[in-house]
Amino acid sequence: MIRRRTLLTALATTPVLSGVAVTTTATPAAAAEQASNTALYANPAWTEGTDWGRRSRRHLIDDQSRTDRAPFLRSTVIAPHGGGIEGGTSELCLAIAGYHPADLAPTPVAGPVHDFWMFEGLISSGNGALHVTSTHCDDTIARSLCAGSLNVLSLHGCKPEQAGLEPGAAAVLVGGLNPTFRQYLMEEFTAAGIRAVTASGEEEIAGIDPDNICNRTLLGMGAQLEMTTALRTAMFAAGKNTIADRATNLLPPFWTFTAATRKAIDRVEAGQTVL
């Protein structure tokens, strides 16, 4: 098994990242993965808004009534390696949360909205150097959203060899510490015709470390999806799988995946009583 950190560090100096071809070379600063979000944000080699960015939405809970109750959002969707780091995860994060990635309008997939957070690599190449492992994700907003949610779904991209799959495999690996959430995700993906595999082996792929951001929930457990390059590439129009173009060039497989994931979230939420 190729370790995720080793592979991503190597990718930082190569011309292909998560299935998105680039032509320029990495900067000298892109030599090693960052130890944490805190370390990355303090790194003078990159500038927020130019080289990397963050997006999030926490929905308002305003309960001024003694007799009625305001709804409590149970779930948060996150993409810790969005933008050019693991291509397609930003767009999926928004859509699964209930927003069209192009303009944040309601998605064609009916249902509730969820809180979301993402970190995005925005540089033309070498985005792999902006990768922070999920166990070291210490962004304040990300941690606060996850800590206040019953469920967190963390979205990632991987290559088949990282997951022990055959070259070119189009599949999603389902991990995390919440067995019920994992079960519903597996069932909904299978019903939608999406190849779903139980994540195992390396902790980073399986999402089983309690310190993994997906498991930093009110319940101490969440879910993690690792989507192979081929699966993500099929979601976007040919030649448009770039940071600038993905949001406006979504193909039917994108919405099939989004709908299946949202159904799984609906099912896990239906069994959770908020006192």
Side-chain angles (χ1 to χ4, degrees):
M1 178 72 71
I2 300 173
R3 288 196 59 78
R4 181 188 186 90
R5 178 184 289 264
T6 302
L7 183 57
L8 280 164
T9 300
L11 284 173
T13 57
T14 61
V16 177
L17 291 172
S18 298
V20 181
V22 294
T23 56
T24 55
T25 57
T27 62
E33 189 176 65
Q34 299 300 297
S36 66
N37 290 82
T38 298
L40 189 154
Y41 300 160
N43 192 323
W46 296 293
T47 302
E48 183 173 10
T50 301
D51 303 308
W52 58 269
R54 293 172 285 178
R55 289 190 281 171
S56 65
R57 176 166 292 182
R58 187 197 299 269
H59 293 85
L60 176 66
I61 297 177
D62 186 4
D63 190 350
Q64 303 295 331
S65 173
R66 292 190 175 94
T67 56
D68 298 322
R69 297 183 60 198
F72 173 77
L73 271 69
R74 296 166 170 82
S75 304
T76 295
V77 186
I78 64 174
H81 310 132
I85 305 174
E86 293 170 358
T89 58
S90 291
E91 293 76 18
L92 284 166
C93 177
L94 290 170
I96 293 168
Y99 298 96
H100 196 292
D103 56 10
L104 294 184
T107 70
V109 182
V113 294
H114 307 290
D115 290 344
F116 65 82
W117 173 87
M118 68 188 74
F119 174 87
E120 299 178 286
L122 304 177
I123 53 182
S124 60
S125 69
N127 281 282
L130 299 170
H131 183 278
V132 176
T133 60
S134 293
T135 54
H136 295 138
C137 178
D138 63 352
D139 179 274
T140 302
I141 300 301
R143 285 211 174 171
S144 65
L145 283 169
C146 293
S149 299
L150 292 173
N151 316 298
V152 167
L153 181 68
S154 187
L155 306 172
H156 299 264
C158 70
K159 291 183 174 291
E161 57 265 32
Q162 292 174 269
L165 301 176
E166 70 278 8
V172 56
L173 284 85
V174 181
L177 288 176
N178 188 325
T180 302
F181 203 172
R182 291 199 314 267
Q183 175 189 338
Y184 292 161
L185 286 163
M186 291 287 291
E187 291 175 353
E188 293 300 335
F189 288 139
T190 300
I194 299 167
R195 181 181 177 187
V197 179
T198 298
S200 61
E202 188 176 342
E203 285 187 353
E204 292 175 21
I205 293 291
I208 57 176
D209 192 318
D211 288 334
N212 186 308
I213 189 68
C214 79
N215 295 318
R216 289 179 171 272
T217 70
L218 285 168
L219 302 177
M221 57 184 181
Q224 176 173 291
L225 300 181
E226 292 274 0
M227 296 161 284
T228 65
T229 304
L231 180 65
R232 287 174 287 128
T233 298
M235 297 181 183
F236 307 99
K240 300 295 184 180
N241 192 3
T242 66
I243 297 172
D245 295 330
R246 277 193 289 264
T248 54
N249 291 277
L250 309 173
L251 297 180
F254 178 92
W255 296 114
T256 299
F257 189 94
T258 296
T261 308
R262 285 174 59 81
K263 286 180 181 177
I265 295 174
D266 289 346
R267 289 177 65 186
V268 76
E269 287 188 345
Q272 295 172 327
T273 301
V274 177
L275 301 177

